Amino acid sequence: MAVVVVESPAKAKTINKYLGSDFTVLASYGHVRDLPAKDGSVDPDDGFAMTWEVAPDSRKHVRAIAEALKTDDTLILATDPDREGEAISWHLKEALASSLKKGKTVRRVTFNAITRNAVTEAMAHPRDVDAALVEAYLARRALDYLVGFNLSPVLWRKLPGAKSAGRVQSVCLRLIVEREMEIEAFRPREYWTVTAVLATPRGQEFQARLTVLGGRKLDRFDLANETAAELAVQAIRSRDMKVKSVEAKPAARNPWPPFMTSTLQQEASRKFGMGAKATMSAAQRLYEAGHITYMRTDGIDMAPEAVKAARDEIGRRFGAAYVPESPRLYKNKAKNAQEAHECIRPTDMGLSPDRLKAADDQRKLYELIWKRTIASQMAAARLERTTVDVASADGEVELRATGQVVMFDGFLAVYDEGRDDADEGEDGARLPQIMAGEPAAKRKVTPEQHFTQPPPRYTEATLVKRMEELGIGRPSTYASIVTTIQDREYVRKDKGRLIPEDKGRLVTAFLTNYFRRYVEYDFTADLEEELDDISAGDRDYREVLARFWRDFTAAIAETADLRIGEVLEKIDEVLAPHLYPPREDGSDPRTCPACGQGRLGLKTARAGGAFIGCSNYPACRYTRALSAPNGEETGAAERVLGEDGGAEILLKAGRFGPYVQRGAGGEDNPKPARASLPKGWSPEAMDLERALRLLSLPRGIGPHPDDGEMVEAGIGRYGPYVKHGRVYANLPEADEVFTIGMNRAVEVLAQKTARGSRSAAPAALRELGMHPGGGKIEVMAGRYGPYVKWEKVNATLPKDMAPEAVTLDQALELIAAKSAKAGGKKAPARKAPAKPGRAKKAG
């Protein structure tokens, strides 16, 4: 008997059906080891040796495999057929080293589809773990670790509010930020077109567009304004028109190639609005159930037996006319394509989507894959494209009509690819019978105004497509990269489009100025090529790491003496064309529009993020967001909701979201009462009554029955709450703050006290803000003097640093130094983990 290990229980269940009782099939549940999230896990001074730890959640799975090996002599590693799957197999072999002694055998098998034939064939041809693929994984993992653990702390210290930087995620973020800057810099240009509805002598109408005026072919911007367009209209109306020529040309459309990872993610986004992560999750389940081939691939070739099966299915369903004379062969044109795997296709061409029993998202995705695969081997569509030119006798005016007719639908009977953005001017209308030389009567001539459009924001689909074109990332990483930059709050998704947040803009500006080489598209793609060379056995992974580390540490060292003020000044300068666009009156765009005396500049908030503020603060409290269009003041009143006690109640939009304010503010009222709109409250639904309720918070509920101390309800930075003394208890809904009574409040507070029965924590002297890694940083009074506290890290203040004067930047440095001295962030006491092992040379 043998122990077979795969990644997931679903995959194990499917394979177990094919192998029978002679095999024990177990799941590793993904990766079993990883680098500990602390300094020193990769040691450049020791040949980039890596310290690995078995993840706590994985220990029971490793133990289960080790237990099975006590009675079985063979371990068969059947993880996925890519670089990541090879890495999981290598980790399992290393983690189980103590159980693999005394003649135990370890073999590696791979299959591109979980079918009986594929699994049986793989079992008949085992091999060793591929050392080159493992070394490519080690190099990629080490690079990502070295960049993340060395660049992220620089961001934390120099750019408050930044969370992390990554080798590929930062380059992806740059793409989104630069596209947004293109959109902001875009200036629309006006142009006009003229169309005419013409009629044949038989009364059949068709539409034509003006292409020649004054005997000269029109360019896009030749009709630049309404006056020019009206002159063109008069030129058409004042002349008789005849059909100059009719030209019909045959054309053909060939089918699209079958899916690979990136094109599947793009098409699922276009047709179903599915994100990359959701697409890959559904595809994973289809693969594990044996319905499709492996879904992380950059190959588009198809196995010969699959091609034959597709052609047979086409002939059966559509007839011989839809089967081309010879099979279609496809080759990938993408930069850095490895083509190591087959395309994504159904394992059974005869299993039509209507017969698949699966969840809705899986069924939709399977239908897409099935149709694309079948269509890829079908005959081309045959079209007839007709062009009709209509001209005046003097040749001064000419119009053109175009039409298209499908003569044979071919692959279009099954599938056509979606589009990211509509192609302007494409005309597929069918034209009536038109003959050269016959007159064309004018029924209607219409001018139409247009403006050029900025480049569209990226969707997940177009972003993945652009990353693929540039050679950034790999099939296994596209989804995680796009997800990470959204989780870091560097990018948000609005109606399917990716929009950079202020944090994302700042990080990109910082990296492009101080670490430009490492966010260059070509540099990242070249590094991916080197990793591909390692996987092919053509490069030594330690040499690649050493060369990268030498230059990277030098770049890190150059930023050591940078101060936050210098960084902000530099970023302010770089982003100036977009932060301070020219004003219509020609005045200095940096002059504060509120006080007329201060200068506008880039500022950072304690809680992270950035905004534009006036240099006369606090006398002038003008602020606006970085991305405010045309320099609009985000502090400006959006709407007057009404009056209360002689003061206007205003609904405003600030850099942290919408809020209500009592009074306009100014010298007489420098700190007007404000309240942010809680989550779920729409600015459009705000009225005077709701605003006054917000401004009245916190609300006293009454004295607590136990001690008589007042119980209050309010909305804080962490949401709605009730408070009694130092005990805060969260409420599920903001509206409950205004209605909660004493009985309910006492119940909620009692539940909170029961959950945390330890004595109340000492009150903080000051709250400095949020740590980039999450959690508050506070100044505390301790038995041995004041200190700064972040989660379980306590760093004593130097004697010359007063607790009321310490800044967030200074606190971050003290915490970083304390963490480094303690060997990383403190953790609660627990059982000693399994002894970590050093990464051995693969193979």
Side-chain angles (χ1 to χ4, degrees):
M1 290 179 64
V3 177
V4 180
V5 182
V6 296
E7 294 93 335
S8 73
K11 186 175 175 182
K13 183 179 178 181
T14 307
I15 289 173
N16 205 35
K17 292 188 298 186
Y18 304 141
L19 294 181
S21 58
D22 289 340
F23 295 87
T24 301
V25 185
L26 298 173
S28 70
Y29 291 80
H31 273 283
V32 296
R33 301 197 308 174
D34 200 1
L35 297 170
K38 62 183 181 182
D39 278 342
S41 295
V42 177
D43 188 355
D45 297 329
D46 188 16
F48 297 94
M50 302 182 203
T51 301
W52 301 96
E53 274 185 3
V54 176
D57 291 344
S58 299
R59 288 174 193 155
K60 60 183 177 183
H61 307 309
V62 174
R63 279 198 300 270
I65 299 168
E67 196 66 28
L69 285 170
K70 288 180 180 179
T71 55
D72 296 326
D73 292 332
T74 304
L75 173 65
I76 299 176
L77 302 168
T79 50
D80 288 342
D82 60 359
R83 189 183 295 162
E84 207 68 19
E86 207 71 24
I88 293 173
S89 285
W90 175 76
H91 276 303
L92 283 165
K93 184 180 175 183
E94 294 290 307
L96 294 164
S98 60
S99 302
L100 294 173
K101 297 173 182 176
K102 301 176 183 177
K104 302 279 186 182
T105 304
V106 182
R107 305 298 282 161
R108 170 86 168 108
V109 299
T110 58
F111 33 81
N112 197 44
I114 306 176
T115 62
R116 186 178 298 278
N117 288 341
V119 172
T120 305
E121 180 69 16
M123 289 297 180
H125 298 90
R127 60 171 174 81
D128 292 328
V129 173
D130 190 315
L133 281 178
V134 173
E135 288 185 350
Y137 160 78
L138 293 175
R140 184 182 295 275
R141 190 69 189 87
L143 283 169
D144 291 343
Y145 173 90
L146 291 170
V147 171
F149 269 79
N150 289 277
L151 188 52
S152 294
V154 175
L155 277 176
W156 299 345
R157 291 192 296 268
K158 311 300 181 184
L159 202 62
K163 289 191 174 179
S164 70
R167 184 177 62 85
V168 181
Q169 78 182 49
S170 299
V171 184
C172 179
L173 176 61
R174 181 187 169 193
L175 279 171
I176 297 169
V177 170
E178 290 188 344
R179 173 58 58 87
E180 194 70 17
M181 292 171 72
E182 286 179 56
I183 293 169
E184 290 171 353
F186 182 81
R187 297 292 176 264
R189 185 173 176 184
E190 181 184 10
Y191 67 99
W192 289 70
T193 57
V194 177
T195 55
V197 177
L198 307 175
T200 68
R202 293 160 296 284
Q204 295 172 302
E205 292 184 347
F206 61 97
Q207 188 169 292
R209 182 170 52 88
L210 179 65
T211 55
V212 174
L213 183 64
R216 187 173 67 85
K217 184 178 179 181
L218 285 177
D219 289 328
R220 186 181 194 183
F221 298 106
D222 283 349
L223 301 181
N225 50 49
E226 187 176 9
T227 302
E230 285 297 336
L231 290 172
V233 168
Q234 294 305 318
I236 296 170
R237 286 174 176 164
S238 63
R239 289 170 169 80
D240 293 328
M241 310 297 290
K242 279 190 177 182
V243 177
K244 178 181 175 182
S245 64
V246 179
E247 184 178 18
K249 288 184 178 179
R253 273 189 65 190
N254 288 316
W256 303 94
F259 283 129
M260 56 182 175
T261 302
S262 60
T263 52
L264 176 63
Q265 291 175 1
Q266 291 164 39
E267 192 70 341
S269 175
R270 295 185 193 109
K271 291 196 167 168
F272 308 135
M274 292 174 71
K277 186 176 180 179
T279 300
M280 296 312 292
S281 176
Q284 177 86 36
R285 294 196 294 275
L286 287 170
Y287 166 68
E288 290 173 346
H291 296 313
I292 63 170
T293 54
Y294 190 56
M295 65 285 160
R296 281 187 268 275
T297 173
D298 51 9
I300 54 175
D301 59 320
M302 199 186 304
E305 62 271 18
V307 172
K308 182 180 183 306
R311 288 168 62 85
D312 290 346
E313 188 67 17
I314 293 164
R316 187 179 72 80
R317 285 177 175 269
F318 301 98
Y322 286 82
V323 183
E325 290 184 9
S326 58
R328 293 186 179 276
L329 302 176
Y330 296 96
K331 186 171 180 62
N332 201 328
K333 298 178 182 179
K335 188 175 181 179
N336 277 347
Q338 299 175 68
E339 300 198 42
H341 307 119
E342 198 183 349
C343 65
I344 303 170
R345 61 167 177 84
T347 54
D348 179 5
M349 300 295 177
L351 181 61
S352 57
D354 59 301
R355 291 171 49 213
L356 181 74
K357 295 180 180 179
D360 186 55
D361 60 336
Q362 296 174 52
R363 186 190 52 74
K364 287 195 301 185
L365 198 66
Y366 179 82
E367 183 176 11
L368 196 64
I369 294 168
W370 185 87
K371 285 183 174 181
R372 176 94 164 207
T373 305
I374 293 292
S376 72
Q377 288 299 323
M378 290 178 74
R382 295 196 300 273
L383 316 170
E384 184 178 82
R385 290 178 179 152
T386 304
T387 304
V388 177
D389 288 324
V390 180
S392 60
D394 57 6
E396 291 289 299
V397 174
E398 193 169 312
L399 299 97
R400 172 167 289 185
T402 57
Q404 178 175 285
V405 178
V406 177
M407 311 298 288
F408 172 67
D409 55 2
F411 76 94
L412 293 174
V414 177
Y415 172 87
D416 195 12
E417 186 172 80
R419 294 176 181 171
D420 297 310
D421 296 286
D423 294 332
E424 186 178 316
E426 184 169 324
D427 187 358
R430 185 166 191 157
L431 296 173
Q433 183 184 16
I434 304 172
M435 291 181 286
E438 66 183 13
K442 299 182 291 292
R443 296 280 174 87
K444 186 179 180 182
V445 183
T446 309
E448 187 176 356
Q449 184 185 36
H450 306 272
F451 291 92
T452 54
Q453 298 297 310
R457 291 186 173 112
Y458 285 112
T459 62
E460 286 196 13
T462 55
L463 181 63
V464 167
K465 183 178 181 181
R466 184 62 180 142
M467 289 167 64
E468 181 190 17
E469 290 169 351
L470 293 170
I472 298 168
R474 283 297 176 266
S476 60
T477 62
Y478 293 138
S480 62
I481 291 167
V482 175
T483 301
T484 297
I485 57 175
Q486 293 178 68
D487 291 345
R488 295 280 184 270
E489 296 178 348
Y490 290 159
V491 170
R492 73 179 187 275
K493 190 154 68 169
D494 183 18
K495 297 178 182 176
R497 299 284 174 171
L498 298 170
I499 305 170
E501 298 282 18
D502 290 347
K503 287 180 184 178
R505 290 169 176 265
L506 292 176
V507 168
T508 297
F510 178 82
L511 294 176
T512 51
N513 277 279
Y514 297 106
F515 294 91
R516 186 169 189 82
R517 183 186 182 198
Y518 301 96
V519 289
E520 288 286 359
Y521 306 132
D522 288 344
F523 175 81
T524 306
D526 290 344
L527 196 54
E528 293 287 355
E529 283 188 352
E530 292 185 15
L531 292 169
D532 290 344
D533 291 342
I534 294 169
S535 65
D538 296 333
R539 285 182 187 266
D540 183 281
Y541 84 98
R542 288 187 176 88
E543 290 180 6
V544 173
L545 289 173
R547 186 168 60 254
F548 175 88
W549 182 244
R550 182 189 62 229
D551 298 337
F552 185 63
T553 50
I556 293 281
E558 289 176 6
T559 66
D561 296 330
L562 279 176
R563 300 188 66 82
I564 291 178
E566 294 176 64
V567 172
L568 288 179
E569 189 176 325
K570 181 66 176 177
I571 293 175
D572 195 37
E573 177 188 332
V574 170
L575 297 179
H578 306 283
L579 299 179
Y580 316 106
R583 292 177 179 169
E584 292 183 3
D585 60 3
S587 62
D588 185 354
R590 279 189 181 260
T591 301
C592 176
C595 67
Q597 298 176 344
R599 297 277 292 170
L600 298 183
L602 188 63
K603 314 289 182 184
T604 57
R606 278 198 320 170
F611 60 96
I612 303 301
C614 178
S615 60
N616 277 349
Y617 178 86
C620 176
R621 292 178 172 269
Y622 174 89
T623 62
R624 67 172 172 84
L626 270 65
S627 49
N630 303 318
E632 283 182 14
E633 180 189 358
T634 58
E638 299 280 344
R639 184 153 51 103
V640 178
L641 300 175
E643 286 192 9
D644 180 63
E648 285 186 330
I649 304 300
L650 308 171
L651 173 65
K652 307 185 80 172
R655 61 182 182 274
F656 302 121
Y659 63 95
V660 290
Q661 177 175 305
R662 182 184 294 277
E667 290 185 7
D668 298 335
N669 187 20
K671 292 186 177 182
R674 293 176 175 176
S676 295
L677 268 61
K679 188 175 182 180
W681 282 34
S682 165
E684 291 77 17
M686 284 300 294
D687 55 23
L688 180 61
E689 181 186 353
R690 300 187 93 195
L692 291 175
R693 289 166 71 191
L694 277 178
L695 291 167
S696 69
L697 295 177
R699 164 181 163 256
I701 299 172
H704 195 283
D706 290 346
D707 58 11
E709 189 171 354
M710 180 61 70
V711 177
E712 295 179 341
I715 299 175
R717 64 187 306 176
Y718 301 113
Y721 66 86
V722 288
K723 171 182 176 286
H724 172 232
R726 293 182 183 177
V727 179
Y728 287 79
N730 292 333
L731 294 174
E733 300 291 338
D735 287 333
E736 192 174 0
V737 169
F738 307 103
T739 59
I740 188 169
M742 182 58 72
N743 289 340
R744 165 72 173 150
V746 170
E747 178 189 355
V748 172
L749 289 163
Q751 290 171 351
K752 175 63 182 283
T753 306
R755 287 196 300 269
S757 58
R758 291 175 296 181
S759 59
L765 299 177
R766 288 175 62 206
E767 186 177 318
L768 298 179
M770 299 297 289
H771 192 280
K776 293 186 293 185
I777 296 179
E778 299 171 315
V779 182
M780 311 292 290
R783 181 178 177 185
Y784 302 106
Y787 63 96
V788 288
K789 175 181 176 61
W790 169 59
E791 295 191 357
K792 295 185 180 296
V793 180
N794 298 333
T796 304
L797 295 184
K799 291 182 179 179
D800 59 349
M801 188 179 293
E804 59 271 17
V806 65
T807 65
L808 177 62
D809 190 42
Q810 291 169 327
L812 284 169
E813 291 180 358
L814 290 170
I815 289 166
K818 179 72 173 182
S819 297
K821 186 177 179 181
K825 183 176 161 181
K826 294 181 183 178
R830 56 188 172 100
K831 292 182 180 180
K835 188 176 181 180
R838 290 285 191 179
K840 299 176 183 177
K841 185 172 175 64

